[in-house]
Amino acid sequence: RIRSEESPPSLAEWISEAEALSPTYTPPDAAKYPEDTWERVTLTDYWAAKHKLPYSLLTWAMAHNDDQEALQQSAARFEDLIAEHPDPPDYFYKNAGIVYGRLRMGGNQCKMISSFANFLIKTNEGPHETKDIVKIVKDYMVHVKRLKKAGQKADCEKETVLVAKAAYKRHKPIAK
């Protein structure tokens, strides 16, 4: 839908219109199709289209002083997208981690750590591209170690701590 700049839609209208345009079917298993087939290309395009709305909400929120409503909407859609995808690509996790890091309401630190750790486990990006995310995960692991020394439990679920530990081990040389 084309609109003039003078009458932009509300956030709710934008989301509603974008969701109406989003594909809604259950895609077939990617393992059925070799990498170079049109069916695999179609699957890749399907997931890219599903990623567009949460990513657009993130970039819009960032351009609007970390608009919290847009970030909350983006976070909810990233959660659904990651849960729905049989093998989410690394950038789904990276973008979700960015969203959780920008949300001001409490309880998102563990989701950010989990998302960034999953990104680090899946990515083939080099040290230059991952160094800031590695530092966030490393700082969290240092925090967990301090809690443990003080006789306290980690402040995130065990699964989050384990995935953060695995990600940190994989990228440890970068983190120093």
Side-chain angles (χ1 to χ4, degrees):
R1 184 174 183 184
I2 298 173
R3 296 179 188 263
S4 71
E5 287 185 21
E6 290 81 37
S7 62
S10 69
L11 186 61
E13 288 173 320
W14 174 37
I15 292 169
S16 177
E17 290 176 12
E19 285 180 334
L21 297 172
S22 185
T24 56
Y25 81 106
T26 303
D29 182 5
K32 294 168 95 175
Y33 307 107
E35 289 288 330
D36 59 348
T37 63
W38 72 268
E39 292 92 346
R40 184 59 80 92
V41 171
T42 301
L43 280 172
T44 301
D45 290 348
Y46 168 81
W47 291 112
K50 296 291 277 187
H51 175 263
K52 188 160 182 63
L53 179 57
Y55 182 73
S56 295
L57 287 164
L58 167 60
T59 58
W60 187 89
M62 290 168 60
H64 291 86
N65 199 29
D66 283 343
D67 181 277
Q68 294 297 292
E69 182 182 355
L71 288 170
Q72 288 171 6
Q73 293 291 334
S74 178
R77 279 151 185 80
F78 271 119
E79 285 177 18
D80 292 345
L81 181 62
I82 289 169
E84 186 181 328
H85 196 295
D87 185 24
D90 63 350
Y91 67 94
F92 283 20
Y93 290 109
K94 183 178 185 179
N95 292 331
I98 293 168
V99 169
Y100 293 126
R102 290 177 170 275
L103 278 167
R104 293 186 197 109
M105 61 185 208
N108 289 300
Q109 174 197 2
C110 295
K111 290 178 180 182
M112 178 188 71
I113 295 298
S114 178
S115 296
F116 281 157
N118 277 298
F119 163 74
L120 290 172
I121 287 170
K122 294 186 80 86
T123 193
N124 290 324
E125 289 185 14
H128 181 72
E129 292 86 6
T130 59
K131 68 181 180 195
D132 294 336
I133 293 174
V134 170
K135 182 172 179 348
I136 290 168
V137 173
K138 175 191 174 197
D139 289 349
Y140 178 71
M141 292 311 300
V142 168
H143 169 72
V144 168
K145 192 180 258 186
R146 286 184 185 140
L147 288 174
K148 192 173 183 180
K149 281 185 179 182
Q152 299 175 352
K153 294 174 78 173
D155 49 355
C156 293
E157 293 178 9
K158 185 177 181 178
E159 184 179 324
T160 298
V161 175
L162 292 175
V163 73
K165 187 176 182 179
Y168 176 64
K169 280 184 179 181
R170 180 170 186 238
H171 294 270
K172 195 172 188 175
I174 301 167
K176 292 190 176 191

